[in-house]
Amino acid sequence: MEKPTVLIPFKPACKGSLCQDVFLYLRPETNGIQVESRIMRVVYENPWYRDAIELAYLANIPGDFLVDRRIVERHYHVRIFFARHGSKAFTPWMMNSFISRFGEKEAGKITGAYEALDILGLSPEELFRIWVPQSDFFVLCGQNIKRFKDLYIVNYDIPAILHKNSISTDIAVMIFRTSLDYRHIHILISAVGRELQNAELLRKDMPLSRIFHYSKSPFEQILDASGYVYREDAGPEDPESSSFFRYLTRERGFSPREVMGALNQPIMRFSQGEDDILIRTQDDTFPDAADRFSRVQSHSILPLDEPLSGASLKLL
């Protein structure tokens, strides 16, 4: 089995609250030196970005390594659970929220993505590519629900994501350590998209999410760090060395068990209902994300099929 090729080893997290570790990793179907070079061009040919961004990690992770360690499955462990179980996995609050949006009679038509494949006779990619108007799309506690025909399909994209993950597909991973806030990070990502379109590496009608993933919240930065950062000997870097993790434990007093427990059971009760902590803290600064976490009233414990590995990651 091939090991990750680490071109720039992971640099220790910076201190303070202004160091975002934004992961960017290319989807298997688009990984290539052309895309990587265009991304780097946007960052380093613009003096404003160049002075505010440090490349803290760069590696290529082989497909067989990803498959053997079930890295993708563990990364999406919560969304896979809902894709398999559909409405059976909904908490009472989630079901009530769905009914408020679509009506009680529609609740019986909620189905997980894998059951929908059988009902509709579609391939994972065909299900993923179905376009629906925004009114037929709903994000509920981090789970994507798409209305198609008479079905409400939970996490319709998960079968395609896992199908594309094979021993022959590598993933390129970068970490941009930056003082930029998320407003400027989104501007940077939009600039990358325009560069890829101009180079005809991205169709104008194709969303950027089909090309690459990037961390959209501080908690998602820790989730990305827990599966996609490796040393040159192929051993995993400890996610506790990521910037937001250190901020939570060293400056805000959370325990490592509390932080990693949030990734294992991310659906939480807040004063105004339930949400996924990764979604609730999107675009937050470190202090704002920590403040939201401190106001969590409880976790909605799910009997997950494949939680993140490691005893320290269990919520006890």
Side-chain angles (χ1 to χ4, degrees):
M1 180 176 60
E2 288 188 71
K3 296 181 180 180
T5 301
V6 180
L7 303 174
I8 298 178
F10 179 71
K11 299 180 180 180
C14 59
K15 298 178 181 179
S17 60
L18 298 178
C19 297
Q20 305 267 16
D21 282 348
V22 177
F23 283 71
L24 189 154
Y25 51 85
L26 304 184
R27 303 294 188 189
E29 63 270 32
T30 56
N31 187 1
I33 189 63
Q34 286 184 307
V35 175
E36 290 181 47
S37 63
R38 293 287 174 169
I39 293 171
M40 302 307 292
R41 172 187 290 185
V42 171
V43 173
Y44 289 107
E45 288 189 358
N46 184 316
W48 192 73
Y49 290 138
R50 185 175 62 240
D51 294 341
I53 295 174
E54 175 189 24
L55 187 60
Y57 178 73
L58 176 62
N60 189 75
I61 304 179
D64 58 349
F65 186 90
L66 291 165
V67 170
D68 181 72
R69 301 198 179 194
R70 299 185 65 80
I71 292 169
V72 177
E73 287 86 349
R74 290 198 169 100
H75 182 87
Y76 290 105
H77 68 291
V78 176
R79 298 194 62 229
I80 290 171
F81 180 76
F82 280 94
R84 287 174 175 164
H85 299 284
S87 62
K88 298 182 185 69
F90 281 20
T91 67
W93 186 92
M94 291 175 69
M95 183 59 74
N96 289 336
S97 182
F98 177 90
I99 291 171
S100 296
R101 170 71 185 271
F102 293 110
E104 186 167 4
K105 66 179 182 179
E106 305 299 329
K109 301 176 183 178
I110 305 171
T111 180
Y114 288 100
E115 183 181 3
L117 292 176
D118 293 334
I119 293 173
L120 299 172
L122 299 176
S123 69
E125 186 64 20
E126 287 171 335
L127 180 62
F128 183 43
R129 289 181 177 274
I130 291 174
W131 183 90
V132 299
Q134 191 61 36
S135 60
D136 289 338
F137 186 79
F138 186 39
V139 179
L140 179 60
C141 290
Q143 315 312 309
N144 297 330
I145 301 174
K146 177 190 287 186
R147 175 164 55 186
F148 178 65
K149 295 184 177 180
D150 63 343
L151 298 178
Y152 293 81
I153 305 168
V154 182
N155 291 340
Y156 61 89
D157 54 334
I158 283 295
I161 289 173
L162 298 185
H163 182 72
K164 291 172 183 174
N165 176 45
S166 70
I167 61 173
S168 60
T169 54
D170 299 352
I171 292 180
V173 182
M174 309 173 187
I175 299 177
F176 292 121
R177 182 162 293 154
T178 180
S179 59
L180 298 176
D181 60 25
Y182 265 101
R183 180 171 68 90
H184 290 102
I185 290 169
H186 293 318
I187 293 172
L188 167 64
I189 295 300
S190 295
V192 168
R194 290 192 298 272
E195 176 69 23
L196 295 177
Q197 288 175 344
N198 292 338
E200 298 184 348
L201 296 170
L202 174 68
R203 296 199 317 267
K204 294 187 182 297
D205 63 338
M206 181 181 289
L208 271 176
S209 60
R210 296 301 299 270
I211 294 288
F212 56 75
H213 159 88
Y214 71 100
S215 311
K216 299 176 183 65
S217 74
F219 274 96
E220 191 168 23
Q221 293 173 27
I222 302 176
L223 178 61
D224 290 334
S226 69
Y228 290 95
V229 185
Y230 293 89
R231 302 187 301 268
E232 292 176 278
D233 64 0
E237 288 284 357
D238 193 329
E240 296 185 24
S241 64
S242 62
S243 294
F244 184 54
F245 197 112
R246 287 194 177 188
Y247 174 75
L248 287 174
T249 56
R250 298 187 183 187
E251 298 190 36
R252 297 299 296 264
F254 293 98
S255 70
R257 180 174 294 180
E258 287 176 310
V259 177
M260 297 308 294
L263 302 186
N264 250 341
Q265 298 286 350
I267 296 179
M268 303 177 185
R269 170 74 67 167
F270 297 87
S271 60
Q272 297 180 337
E274 293 178 358
D275 204 354
D276 185 310
I277 189 67
L278 281 76
I279 302 299
R280 180 59 66 96
T281 58
Q282 277 192 357
D283 298 342
D284 274 357
T285 63
F286 284 8
D288 287 344
D291 288 345
R292 291 186 198 276
F293 191 35
S294 68
R295 293 194 294 268
V296 169
Q297 297 176 353
S298 63
H299 291 246
S300 296
I301 305 299
L302 304 172
L304 298 174
D305 302 326
E306 186 171 19
L308 294 169
S309 60
S312 65
L313 309 192
K314 295 178 181 178
L315 180 65
L316 300 177

